Structure formats: structure tokens, C-alpha cells
Amino acid sequence: MQRIGVFVCWCGSNIAATVDVDRVVAEAKVQPNVVFAQDYQYMCSEAGQGIIRNAIAEHKLTGVVVCSCSPRMHENTFRKAAERAGLNPYMVEIANIREHCSWIHKDKEEGTEKACVLMRAAVAKVLLNAPLKAGESKVTKRALVIGGGIAGIQTALDIADAGFEVDIVEKRATIGGRMAQLDKTFPTLDCSACILTPKMVEAAANEKVKLYTYSEVESVGGFVGNFHVKIRKKARFVKEDICTGCGACMAKCPSKKGLNEFNMNLNNRPAIYIPFAQAIPNVAVIDPEQCIKLKTGKCGLCEKVCTAGAIDYKQQDEIIEEEYGAIVMATGFQPIDASKFDEYSYSTCPDVVTSLELERLMNAAGPTGGVLLKPSDKTHPKSITFIQCVGSRDVSGRGKCYCSKICCMYTAKHAMLIRDKYPDVEVHVFYIDVRTPGKNFDEFYRRAVEQYDVDYIKGQVGKVYEEDGHLVVQGVDLIANEQIILNTDMVVLATAIEPDPTARKVASMLTASIDTNDFITEAHPKLRPVESPTAGIFLSGVCQGPKDIPETVSQAGAAAAKVIGLLAKDKLLTNPCVSHSNELLCNGCSCCEKVCPYGAIGYEDKLINDHGVRETRRVCVVNEALCQGCGACTVVCPSGAMDLKGFSNKQIMAEVDAICR
Amino acid sequence: MHFDQKETANLITRMSGTDPKKCMKCGKCSASCPSFDEMEYHPHQFVSMVVKGDVERLLASKSITKCLTCFACVQRCPRGVEPANIIEAVRVTTLRQQGTCYLSPDDVPAIVDDQIPQQALVSAFRKYRK
């Protein structure tokens, strides 16, 4: 006879405030086969686990039900506790009386009643549990990093440092990402390129790191330890291994109308180009939209001047297939489109720019060679006005509900740099709040105010318009309770940042969940911040949420540590809750094969002894290493041959019966 | 008659159809307001004073008649607070407190011409007739 123990957790007051735990224990004691029931304040604590272990030994329990939080939280904890006491870990069932009960009910009577029902269902299920043994699967000791910005580069370098191979897939023609576009970095004002480009070179030189630039992930299959990835290497029309990056083609190219994306479209570039001087790889790429040869068949100048013979107008996209053990998402961000905010005249006035555009206008390698000039007439501005929170903390539908986190600091940086280099320029900053949590951040902002005389005005701007060749800013000073009309030469919009538009597509390929803002969701916001709930998928950088460079680099290292922890294992324990077929019932119809998302189902011709009748039949065979236990086959099977271990049809019916009892 | 500021503020909030607590005090409403200098209390103050229940001063202020109802604040508010609707609710409250019917059906034929949309009559009666 089965001997079941029921353990009811208070979870401090999380459960006990809404569920009468004494009543759940009393109710448990009268359930069939329950020989022991007890409650405790924190069942997951060492003392709580001790109660479970002692009860297993003392009462010779054959099954355990823990009424506590979600199994996603502590199922593993309690399985391990049972295992330590000599019980098969799969003889443990969790009744979720926190997330599914106490947290969503206010009335204690109702909550208690529901907790009792959930407990009853779990007891009914555990009576039909069978001991299971986890299988093993291999681990491909190579990682894939999607995105080649500072997040992706740092993650890859840290993984490579531990001795594992790692590939970076970057959709643009060079690695470096957003950080490569920045001029200086806060709060130290060191040059962005000076600290980033050595890392880019390191990534290219590291023999463990392989770069796939101008490439995108096409499809992802498999599961943790065994991902199968197809990468589309887009045609550059330039042979990557032959091009020397001399730039002769760029100088001769007659088509110079392409917008320079690296300079935020502030100037033009030829149809054949290297994104910027320190690009990695330092290889040209042809923009097929702009190339005269590719569009009309006439021209071919670049081919003529290329002494290395690297130009190949016939190059095709190439599909590369690779196996990986772990995948890191580092897809980064983009600024939102400022033209949605008509009142700031971004689309109509060239002297209204975004902060990222200002970075390029102040960068020595930018369109003005680092001299700050008004985009409209290339003259020196005398007054610059910054507007904070453009599209951040905005629930009107035009912006983003969150704080973009980096804008307060980069604006202080911009203001300071301008005042330092051009003391004759007056700088105003309209702010709602100045948010500076971070080491040396507030001190940095105060320097802007106290040392550099930047005029911070508490209040927002209502509109910006052009009048008599200059810009007019109409704003409010909430401290003085006055409306301000300011004449200014340039306006800089601190636009909100949003996840890169590819994040959603990549996340769905990886089955990684995303939130309403398209940021990738963590497995646990506090305790597992760099892992996706999908096993083997890790998060690095702004794809998880707005963050600055120091935070991104820390998170990149953390994600790398998690990847290394995974790749260091030779075998992974697989989930034993997999499906299997009853060969006597299987009619070989192939329904299950069609719905299996993991390709885990195949067919074999087998000699079946069906009640004395021997015949060869085509029956379903499940590859237990591939099966993820989703259960799709069990519901689609017309003859009821498919069943899931640990979640059998019989068990689910028993739970339903117990709930309805 | 007993006057309860909090209760009146709640009534104003309900009438306005918006939630002034969503305000993050950025002042973009006042920054956008073309009547700012005409007003003793500015749009952002209307919002915060209604939240605080400090409405007696608003009801007595001439500011309520200075709002042009241009809706620039409504269009630009990043939090969807709709300050113009709050000011309008204060304005309507003062009219209702006077206890008289401001608009009599008898007056209508004299003031109506074919330029006035029917909807204006409907809303006028909703607002100004008890």
C-alpha cells in the first residue's frame, strides 16, 4: 500500500495569511493513503526540508506532496530533499497554493477551500506516480552569441577565455554595435572607441572566437546542449578573405548617394563601403540598393581598381549550419523614431537632432570631423537646448512606458563636453527628474551644474518651432512656475531606447519569452537575471532591459559564466517526463509525428504479439533524448496510444476526479 | 450647504473622465499652454491640486475661464492625464454650484443658427442644466 506524506508551507505570511494551513493539514490527514501531514513556516528552508526527510524515513513514505509555491520555484528543491532521504525524486508532487491560490485570493475562506482542493488533486496524482530515472544527453561544447555589440563581444571573449569555442553572429557588416558610434563614455569621459576597438580586435584575433558578420540567424532547432542553427551569411559582393580594406573602391565608386547608417544618416557614403575606419572585419561591402553595376549591369569601377581582385558581383547568400550547446541573445537596442513627436519639429528642422546624432556630430570620425556645427547651415551654434524623456515614461501610445535609464547621464555628458570645448555656448537642459543611480553618477551630474554652469530647468518643453532662422523652445520652469520662451540654435532630443526590431524574431526562433515592450524576459527577475526561462538561452545587454555600458559588461560576464557552467558539463540530465507509445494500441497513423515540434517521433516495423496474434506493424517510437515532454502527441493520438510519463492521462483524470469530489 | 473639498475633488475627477494620479509632474501641459500667462493657476497646478483635494481656490479662481480648451495639453501629455478635461470639470462644477439652470430651452431659438452643430446643444444641456 502507498504511504503518502503531505507538507503544507506557510511561505511566511504569503500563504498563511490567505489560507488556513491548519485546515489544509487536517483535511490532508483524512485523504486515502495519507499517513502523515504537517505544516511549517518555510518548507524550502533547511529545517523544512529536514521535516520532509525525517518523515520519509520515519513513516516509510512512498510519495510526497508539498503544498507550497509554484513548481517552477522549488520543485527541484523538494525533489532533491526526497532523493537525499532515499525516495525517487519523481515521487514528489507540488500543489501550488501560492501563485495559483493565496496570491490571487483575498478571502481566507475561499483561499483555504481552494488550497484543500489543490492538495487533494496532488494526492490523487502522486498515488499514480511511478519512479522515473533521468536520461542523459550530450553537450555540444560551443556557444553562439547573437549580436556583436559590446554585450556580445564581452560575452564571447569571456566564454573563449574559459577555453570554449564561440561564434558571434552580427547582422551589420562590422561588430562594435552602438558603442562604436559613441564619442565619450560617462562617468569618466574616456573615449568610447579607445576602449571598444581593442576588444573588437581581440574578438577577431582570438582563435576560439569566430565572427559571422553581415549574417543573420535563419532558424534554430534542438534544445539545451544540442541546438542546431542555420545562419544566413548575406552576400557582401566582396570576398571577405581577399579584401585588404585599402579603400580604393570607396574612393572611385561613382554612386555616393547611400545614407551613412553609421553616422545616423547625417551624411552619405559610396555604394561600396567600409562602415567605419576601425571596422572588424576591415572588409568592404556593396549596398545592392545603391550599386550601379548590380542595378543596371554597367559600371564595375570597383572591380577595376581592386588590385586584390576581391569584388564578386555574383556572390550569393550562403547558409551555414552549426551545432551549439548554448545561445546568448545580445541583440541590443535602437533609439525610437523621434518624428512621432510633431511638437518637437524633428522631421522639419534639421537643427533638432537626437542624442545619438549629436554623438556623431561631436565625434572626431563623424561627418563634421568632431567640430560641432549646426546641420542646417554648418555654422557654430551659440545656444543648445536639451529635452529629456522624449518618449520615455510615456503611456500616451507615442512612446515607451519605461525609463530608458541612460539618458540623464549621457545628456550630462553632452552638456559638459560642449561647455568644456565651446565655453561660449550656453546649454539648457529641460528635465523631469534627473536619475543618477550608479557609482560616481550623481557626482558627474553635479559637475555639469556646478563646474560647467549647465542650466538645468525642472520642467518639460511643450513645443519647438523655427522662427527667423533660429529655433524657439517653449517650455516651463516648474520651480519658478513660469513659462519660458527660449531662442536657441540647436535642440537635442533624449529619445527613448527600444529593443532592436530583430529581437522579437530572434526570440521566437529561440522560444525565449518577451515582455510587452519586446524586452527578453528573465527566468527570474532577481535570482536568474541573465537566463531565459527556456533552458540553454541566456541574455546579455539591452535586449533584457535598458542599461549602460558598465552594467552591460557586467551582465555580459554573468551570461558568459552561466554558459561556461553549462558547457563544462559532459552530459546533461534529461527530463524523464517524456512520452512513450503503447505499441498494442498504436495504429501507425503518423498524427503524433506531425505535431511533434522536436522531431522526436519516428516509426519502426515491429513484430507485435497482440493477444496471441503475431504480426508486423508500423508503430511509433519516441526518441527520449529529443522529447521535451510537451504532450502534444498525447492529445492528438486518436487511439490513445501516446502517454506522458509523470503526466499520464490516468493521472490527469485522477486529478480532475479529486477536484470534482 | 456643507462644502467638502475632498468630495468635490473626487467629483471633479470623476467628471473629467481621466486619472490625474497618472501625472508625473513633467509640466508639459503648462509648457504647451497658450494661455499660461493669463492664468493664476496653471494647467499642471490644476492637476496636482485636484489630486490633493485642494480645489476651493481653483473654483474661486478666474483661471477656469482662461483655458481656451485648445487641447494642446491633452494631445501632448505623455501620461494621458488630459489636463483640459480636468479644468473643464472644475469649470462645470462652479456652474453647478451656483444652483441655477444656466441654459433655458426658451433661450435656444434666439442663439442657434445653422453654424451650431446639434452635438454642441446636447453637450451644453448636459453641462449647464441641472
Side-chain angles (χ1 to χ4, degrees):
Chain A
M1 196 195 82
Q2 297 246 39
R3 301 173 62 81
I4 309 301
V6 177
F7 302 87
V8 183
C9 180
W10 304 11
C11 194
S13 61
N14 275 304
I15 292 171
T18 327
V19 169
D20 181 350
V21 284
D22 291 335
R23 244 178 73 196
V24 181
V25 169
E27 178 96 353
K29 282 182 172 158
V30 300
Q31 297 303 309
N33 298 72
V34 172
V35 294
F36 180 82
Q38 193 180 331
D39 60 291
Y40 185 65
Q41 206 165 10
Y42 291 106
M43 207 53 92
C44 57
S45 68
E46 180 51 33
Q49 292 184 43
I51 293 173
I52 298 176
R53 290 199 305 269
N54 292 341
I56 291 173
E58 205 173 308
H59 298 276
K60 301 191 172 49
L61 299 182
T62 58
V64 164
V65 168
V66 187
C67 305
S68 62
C69 53
S70 160
R72 281 180 69 158
M73 190 76 197
H74 277 311
E75 185 173 55
N76 239 338
T77 314
F78 294 123
R79 276 180 176 168
K80 279 184 188 153
E83 199 171 18
R84 277 171 71 189
L87 191 67
N88 183 286
Y90 293 91
M91 297 306 287
V92 175
E93 282 299 327
I94 308 286
N96 180 358
I97 61 166
R98 193 177 75 172
E99 285 85 341
H100 284 181
C101 183
S102 70
W103 275 0
I104 51 167
H105 289 286
K106 283 207 164 69
D107 182 59
K108 196 159 182 174
E109 189 54 37
E110 266 179 17
T112 307
E113 202 178 312
K114 183 165 172 187
C116 288
V117 168
L118 293 170
M119 177 274 297
R120 263 192 344 243
V123 170
K125 186 181 178 208
V126 81
L127 285 169
L128 297 168
N129 272 17
L132 299 174
K133 196 171 178 314
E136 286 179 338
S137 68
K138 70 175 172 66
V139 179
T140 306
K141 296 195 179 265
R142 184 189 295 118
L144 171 66
V145 176
I146 304 173
I150 181 61
I153 293 173
Q154 187 62 48
T155 304
L157 287 176
D158 287 348
I159 294 169
D161 201 30
F164 295 105
E165 287 180 0
V166 51
D167 296 354
I168 297 178
V169 171
E170 166 58 53
K171 67 175 176 179
R172 295 191 182 84
T174 171
I175 59 168
R178 293 287 171 208
M179 191 177 166
Q181 293 178 290
L182 306 185
D183 184 36
K184 303 276 196 306
T185 56
F186 61 77
T188 45
L189 293 182
D190 43 354
C191 151
S192 182
C194 312
I195 54 177
L196 174 69
T197 47
K199 280 205 183 289
M200 291 163 63
V201 173
E202 213 183 314
N206 193 313
E207 56 181 19
K208 297 277 183 195
V209 182
K210 196 166 179 183
L211 303 180
Y212 292 107
T213 51
Y214 212 52
S215 303
E216 282 179 51
V217 173
E218 184 89 352
S219 70
V220 178
F223 53 95
V224 56
N226 297 277
F227 291 108
H228 183 84
V229 180
K230 280 188 191 162
I231 300 163
R232 176 180 292 272
K233 209 166 163 19
K234 293 177 282 186
R236 272 178 181 266
F237 307 103
V238 174
K239 292 176 197 147
E240 214 175 315
D241 44 348
I242 295 177
C243 173
T244 60
C246 71
C249 51
M250 292 171 71
K252 283 279 183 268
C253 178
S255 162
K256 298 207 190 293
K257 289 276 161 57
L259 289 173
N260 189 337
E261 302 89 346
F262 184 73
N263 279 341
M264 300 303 295
N265 299 344
L266 289 166
N267 64 351
N268 298 91
R269 54 147 176 80
I272 185 163
Y273 66 103
I274 297 173
F276 60 103
Q278 294 78 27
I280 300 274
N282 187 19
V283 171
V285 56
I286 294 180
D287 176 354
E289 298 295 313
Q290 298 291 333
C291 176
I292 299 164
K293 173 78 177 179
L294 287 174
K295 283 202 314 201
T296 66
K298 290 175 192 132
C299 182
L301 259 178
C302 50
E303 192 179 24
K304 284 184 197 111
V305 297
C306 180
T307 47
I311 312 293
D312 176 7
Y313 299 117
K314 295 213 164 58
Q315 206 176 61
Q316 298 282 322
D317 287 6
E318 193 186 334
I319 301 288
I320 294 155
E321 298 193 30
E322 266 301 352
E323 303 286 331
Y324 299 100
I327 300 178
V328 182
M329 263 193 88
T331 44
F333 72 95
Q334 66 176 19
I336 64 164
D337 178 10
S339 59
K340 276 187 282 191
F341 297 86
D342 283 341
E343 64 266 36
Y344 296 140
S345 305
Y346 173 76
S347 334
T348 47
C349 302
D351 293 340
V352 179
V353 299
T354 68
S355 297
L356 198 50
E357 287 165 5
L358 183 73
E359 289 284 347
R360 296 315 301 155
L361 291 173
M362 288 169 60
N363 192 296
T368 54
V371 185
L372 183 58
L373 299 173
K374 285 163 65 184
S376 60
D377 57 7
K378 312 284 183 246
T379 59
H380 176 63
K382 286 282 190 307
S383 153
I384 298 183
T385 303
F386 288 83
I387 304 176
Q388 299 301 98
C389 295
V390 177
S392 293
R393 310 164 68 192
D394 185 321
V395 293
S396 70
R398 290 193 296 173
K400 303 288 172 181
C401 63
Y402 49 84
C403 165
S404 295
K405 199 170 184 179
I406 54 175
C407 329
C408 285
M409 284 300 285
Y410 70 57
T411 295
K413 174 189 76 173
H414 288 153
M416 228 185 285
L417 289 171
I418 291 170
R419 292 281 301 152
D420 187 52
K421 207 168 168 186
Y422 310 104
D424 62 317
V425 177
E426 58 178 65
V427 175
H428 308 278
V429 179
F430 281 91
Y431 70 97
I432 304 172
D433 299 291
V434 179
R435 296 179 167 174
T436 53
K439 194 175 169 184
N440 295 326
F441 281 17
D442 205 64
E443 296 89 324
F444 183 81
Y445 149 61
R446 292 311 307 171
R447 259 169 65 203
V449 177
E450 291 164 27
Q451 277 179 36
Y452 289 91
D453 283 329
V454 177
D455 176 29
Y456 270 78
I457 302 162
K458 160 83 183 157
Q460 187 56 287
V461 171
K463 61 174 172 180
V464 176
Y465 55 96
E466 206 169 345
E467 199 177 72
D468 306 327
H470 59 256
L471 294 173
V472 182
V473 173
Q474 179 185 314
V476 69
D477 182 338
L478 291 174
I479 307 281
N481 203 7
E482 276 171 359
Q483 201 174 58
I484 301 178
I485 311 273
L486 257 181
N487 287 342
T488 197
D489 297 326
M490 269 180 84
V491 168
V492 184
L493 308 177
T495 36
I497 56 172
E498 63 183 358
D500 190 271
T502 54
R504 176 172 270 273
K505 201 177 105 199
V506 173
S508 36
M509 279 194 279
L510 299 173
T511 63
S513 44
I514 51 179
D515 67 17
T516 48
N517 292 310
D518 281 5
F519 288 115
I520 316 296
T521 317
E522 321 84 338
H524 189 286
K526 275 142 284 185
L527 302 178
R528 295 173 69 194
V530 298
E531 295 159 78
S532 150
T534 307
I537 308 296
F538 303 89
L539 319 174
S540 179
V542 182
C543 69
Q544 179 257 343
K547 50 179 71 67
D548 57 30
I549 296 169
E551 258 188 291
T552 295
V553 171
S554 324
Q555 203 204 18
K562 290 286 171 193
V563 170
I564 294 162
L566 170 61
L567 298 188
K569 293 191 177 88
D570 291 320
K571 298 268 179 206
L572 289 177
L573 285 182
T574 56
N575 173 16
C577 299
V578 291
S579 75
H580 60 104
S581 79
N582 182 337
E583 291 172 348
L584 288 178
L585 295 179
C586 178
N587 63 14
C589 69
S590 292
C591 284
C592 52
E593 186 190 18
K594 283 174 202 144
V595 296
C596 178
Y598 305 100
I601 292 175
Y603 290 88
E604 269 178 26
D605 288 325
K606 270 194 178 173
L607 188 63
I608 305 291
N609 185 348
D610 190 354
H611 301 89
V613 181
R614 285 168 170 275
E615 58 180 354
T616 304
R617 292 186 192 163
R618 180 177 182 268
V619 290
C620 158
V621 182
V622 177
N623 180 340
E624 295 197 348
L626 294 179
C627 175
Q628 297 296 296
C630 71
C633 55
T634 66
V635 289
V636 80
C637 178
S639 48
M642 301 304 290
D643 214 351
L644 199 57
K645 290 177 192 167
F647 294 91
S648 66
N649 298 331
K650 241 169 110 180
Q651 284 179 300
I652 290 163
M653 288 314 290
E655 284 185 284
V656 175
D657 281 348
I659 289 168
C660 301
R661 201 157 66 216
Chain B
M1 197 185 78
H2 168 72
F3 177 73
D4 182 333
Q5 284 218 77
K6 277 261 182 277
E7 205 178 284
T8 312
N10 285 341
L11 187 70
I12 291 169
T13 305
R14 279 214 309 280
M15 269 200 275
S16 74
T18 76
D19 180 2
K21 284 209 289 289
K22 279 159 70 182
C23 173
M24 64 168 169
K25 304 186 193 297
C26 71
K28 197 168 182 177
C29 46
S30 288
S32 303
C33 182
S35 294
F36 186 95
D37 290 335
E38 308 292 321
M39 297 170 100
E40 176 191 7
Y41 297 108
H42 304 120
H44 73 277
Q45 289 174 291
F46 269 84
V47 176
S48 75
M49 286 164 85
V50 167
V51 171
K52 283 191 208 139
D54 179 11
V55 293
E56 202 164 7
R57 290 187 290 161
L58 293 179
L59 291 161
S61 164
K62 286 210 164 55
S63 304
I64 53 174
T65 59
K66 302 294 180 187
C67 168
L68 303 171
T69 327
C70 72
F71 289 105
C73 52
V74 174
Q75 201 263 330
R76 291 176 195 161
C77 173
R79 310 292 299 175
V81 172
E82 305 180 0
N85 288 335
I86 290 170
I87 298 171
E88 175 69 0
V90 177
R91 191 155 46 207
V92 170
T93 306
T94 61
L95 294 171
R96 288 189 180 171
Q97 274 179 351
Q98 289 165 0
T100 51
C101 295
Y102 244 67
L103 195 62
S104 158
D106 299 338
D107 303 336
V108 171
I111 52 176
V112 163
D113 59 29
D114 17 317
Q115 300 293 310
I116 292 184
Q118 183 62 25
Q119 184 63 40
L121 287 179
V122 174
S123 29
F125 276 102
R126 267 201 201 129
K127 277 181 196 166
Y128 301 130
R129 213 175 141 77
K130 281 205 117 178

